[in-house]
Amino acid sequence: MRRVAPDWWRHYFDQTWYRLHAPLFPEAQTRREVAGMIELLGVPLGAAVLDAPCGWGRHAALLAAAGYDVTGADLSPAMLSRASARAPRTAWVAADLRALPFDDNTFAAVLNVFTSLGLFHDAADDRAALAEAYRVLAPGGVFLLESMHRDEVVATYVERDAWTLPDGTEVAVRRHFDPIAGISYERMRWNHGAQRGEKRMALRLRTATEMAQLLLSAGFCNSRYWGDWDGAPFTHRAERFIAVSRKA
Ligand SMILES: C[S@@+](CC[C@H](N)C(=O)[O-])C[C@H]1O[C@@H](n2cnc3c(N)ncnc32)[C@H](O)[C@@H]1O
C-alpha cells in the first residue's frame, strides 16, 4: 500500500483518473459549489481569478461563464486538454503550483480547491505553493483554500470502500492512514468488462490548525473559515475546510 513515490502527483492525474472521478461530481453539485464560492470570494464580476490547480476546469469554466476573467493552471496535460475542450476561450496554462508563470500582483482572487494542498509530502513544497499564490495575488486579493481536514477524515476513516460508476465500472479502494506522517495511502482498483487497472496515491492530511498556521506563515491575513460552500460554520465535524484569506 505504501509503495507510492513522493511525486506521485506528477503522473496520477491522467485520463483514467478523469474517467473514474468526473462522474462523482455532477454538474448541479459543481454549480452549487461555484455559487457558494462567488459569495465567499466577494470579488466583482470581471475580476481576474486564478484557479490553480484547475483540474478539468469544473469550477473555472463556470466562473468564466459567470463573467470572471479566469485563468486555470495545472500540471497535467490530460486535465488541461479536458478543460480546454470544455471552455475553449478560457486561458488554460501548464504550470507547477510551486513556480507559477504569472507576474506579481496579477489576480484579484486565487483558488486552491479539492485538497490540492496535500499532494506534496514535503511541507517545503506546500510553503512554495502558498508563497506563489501570495505573490501573484494583488494587494488585498483573496485566497480561497478548500480541503479535507484530518479531524473529520480520521474520525470517519474508511479503510475499504467500493462503488459502481454509471457506466458500470466497478471501483474498489483500500486505505491506510499513517498517523505520524499524517499521510493517507490509497490503492484504487477498477474494472470495466475486460479492462482493469490500479492507481495509488498518498495524500497528506492536515488539521485545520495546521492549515491555518501555514496560511499565516505564508503572510495571509484576516482568514475566515467555513465548513461548506453554503457558508456553514467550520467545526471539527465539517466535511470541508474552507479558508478565505487576504493578501495584506
Ligand atoms: C484533486 S485535483 C483538483 C483539481 C480541481 N481543483 C478540482 O477541484 O477539480 C488536483 C489537481 O492538481 C494537479 N497537480 C498536481 N500536482 C501539481 C503541481 N505540482 N502543480 C500544478 N498542478 C498540480 C493535478 O494535475 C490535478 O489536476
Side-chain angles (χ1 to χ4, degrees):
M1 185 95 74
R2 297 185 193 208
R3 279 190 294 108
V4 183
D7 63 345
W8 62 274
W9 38 268
R10 221 176 264 290
H11 304 293
Y12 182 80
F13 298 96
D14 56 8
Q15 297 292 357
T16 301
W17 185 79
Y18 174 80
R19 205 190 124 216
L20 296 174
H21 287 80
L24 305 177
F25 296 90
E27 183 76 3
Q29 177 189 321
T30 306
R31 283 188 183 281
R32 279 196 299 277
E33 292 183 4
V34 169
M37 200 178 270
I38 288 172
E39 284 288 310
L40 296 181
L41 288 173
V43 293
L45 281 181
V49 175
L50 172 66
D51 184 7
C54 61
W56 68 88
R58 62 193 179 109
H59 298 112
L62 292 177
L63 287 167
Y68 293 94
D69 175 13
V70 178
T71 300
D74 202 283
L75 195 64
S76 159
M79 292 303 115
L80 290 169
S81 80
R82 289 279 172 186
S84 62
R86 179 176 173 163
R89 285 188 302 185
T90 298
W92 304 107
V93 178
D96 191 307
L97 293 173
R98 300 163 299 172
L100 293 173
F102 308 112
D103 290 340
D104 297 359
N105 308 324
T106 300
F107 298 98
V110 174
L111 315 173
N112 180 311
V113 175
F114 194 5
T115 317
S116 299
L117 202 74
L119 305 171
F120 305 126
H121 292 182
D122 186 340
D125 290 324
D126 280 330
R127 286 196 293 272
L130 286 178
E132 280 295 85
Y134 192 91
R135 180 184 67 75
V136 302
L137 263 180
V142 186
F143 179 58
L144 187 150
L145 174 68
E146 185 268 338
S147 176
M148 293 190 271
H149 66 104
R150 183 168 163 171
D151 291 339
E152 193 275 335
V153 175
V154 167
T156 58
Y157 200 69
V158 181
E159 274 156 351
R160 285 171 185 262
D161 205 355
W163 57 88
T164 303
L165 295 176
D167 71 353
T169 301
E170 292 174 345
V171 180
V173 166
R174 287 189 65 179
R175 299 190 186 91
H176 169 79
F177 184 63
D178 176 340
I180 303 296
I183 292 177
S184 177
Y185 293 87
E186 181 180 291
R187 185 194 73 195
M188 174 180 277
R189 286 187 170 152
W190 61 272
N191 68 80
H192 185 250
Q195 295 179 314
R196 58 194 58 238
E198 180 179 298
K199 291 186 81 61
R200 289 173 185 247
M201 70 157 182
L203 205 55
R204 177 153 178 180
L205 294 174
R206 290 194 172 88
T207 61
T209 313
E210 290 169 315
M211 288 189 277
Q213 277 164 358
L214 269 182
L215 287 167
L216 259 182
S217 320
F220 290 105
C221 60
N222 297 340
S223 294
R224 299 179 66 197
Y225 304 101
W226 284 274
D228 210 340
W229 295 112
D230 61 4
F234 180 74
T235 72
H236 64 288
R237 291 199 182 88
E239 280 185 26
R240 298 170 190 282
F241 168 86
I242 302 175
V244 177
S245 310
R246 293 215 171 252
K247 176 169 174 172

